Structure formats: C-alpha cells, structure tokens
Amino acid sequence: TTFQRFAGLDFDPARLPQDWASGGTGEGAVVHAFHQALWGNWQFEVNRSSDPSAGRLRWTKGGYQEARGSNYPDAVGGQWYIENALGLLDSPGEWYHDEASLRLYLMVNGTAPPGPGVAAG
C-alpha cells in the first residue's frame, strides 16, 4: 500500500474552548497528530479552510516528519494536540507569540504577574 498524508481531522468542538481559534479558522495553529502506536507524531499548520466551531481542521503544510511515516487507511481516533493558539493558553509556562503585533503572551507560573524584569528578546 501507498504512504498516506492526512489533510485534516474532525473532532468534537465541545472539547475545546469556543473562541480558541484566531480569526475563527485557527489559521496558523499547529496540530501534532500521533500515530496510533504513539511512536511519533506529525505536525501540520492549520489553514483558512478549517471550521473549528464545526469540528473541522484542515491543512496543506506539514506531515513530512518521521521519514515516510506509516500507512493507516482507516485510522480513526489517534491522539493529538494543538499549539500556537492564543485562546488555548491555560497552564502556567505556556506562551503564544503573535507575529502580526510582535506581542508575546505568557501564562505566568504563580499568583502575581511577573515583575518589571520580564522581557522578551
């Protein structure tokens, strides 16, 4: 059989915060999709044709990690996570860089905001 590279995934939108996707599409977010045996993962950049509110993420970039990957003609239900989405910052130490505004968002580790010594560079 031939090597396959997936073009998207469908999920239950109730499992993510409603407003996590920037611009409503999640464009620029990165999906890390694990192989069923969890021996590795592929990364994909979410594009504009996605509709996160309906549980659909689509991409055209990515999926070339791990040499040829594997062949899953009927792969369903693999584990995955999303990074590079401001609306998903929810744990201390997570961060998001907004390229358009050159702003860095940081979920601080503690109960008080960081002092004046915190800088990005």
Side-chain angles (χ1 to χ4, degrees):
T1 46
T2 311
F3 166 72
Q4 295 178 344
R5 188 171 64 94
F6 299 104
L9 65 83
D10 296 331
F11 66 98
D12 178 358
R15 298 192 61 140
L16 293 174
Q18 276 190 328
D19 58 353
W20 74 267
S22 60
T25 66
E27 183 177 18
V30 176
V31 172
H32 295 260
F34 288 88
H35 297 291
Q36 289 180 333
L38 299 177
W39 54 264
N41 72 344
W42 290 335
Q43 294 83 43
F44 302 96
E45 184 179 335
V46 175
N47 66 28
R48 280 182 217 174
S49 65
S50 297
D51 185 357
S53 64
R56 288 188 299 273
L57 297 178
R58 301 295 180 257
W59 47 74
T60 52
K61 294 180 184 177
Y64 294 105
Q65 300 79 12
E66 301 184 62
R68 285 181 48 108
S70 192
N71 181 23
Y72 296 115
D74 52 353
V76 177
Q79 296 180 29
W80 55 277
Y81 69 92
I82 301 170
E83 70 172 40
N84 198 39
L86 177 59
L88 293 178
L89 292 184
D90 62 358
S91 296
E94 291 183 341
W95 56 274
Y96 170 77
H97 178 244
D98 184 333
E99 284 190 52
S101 69
L102 298 178
R103 181 172 257 176
L104 180 67
Y105 297 84
L106 171 68
M107 182 65 73
V108 295
N109 188 5
T111 58
V118 174

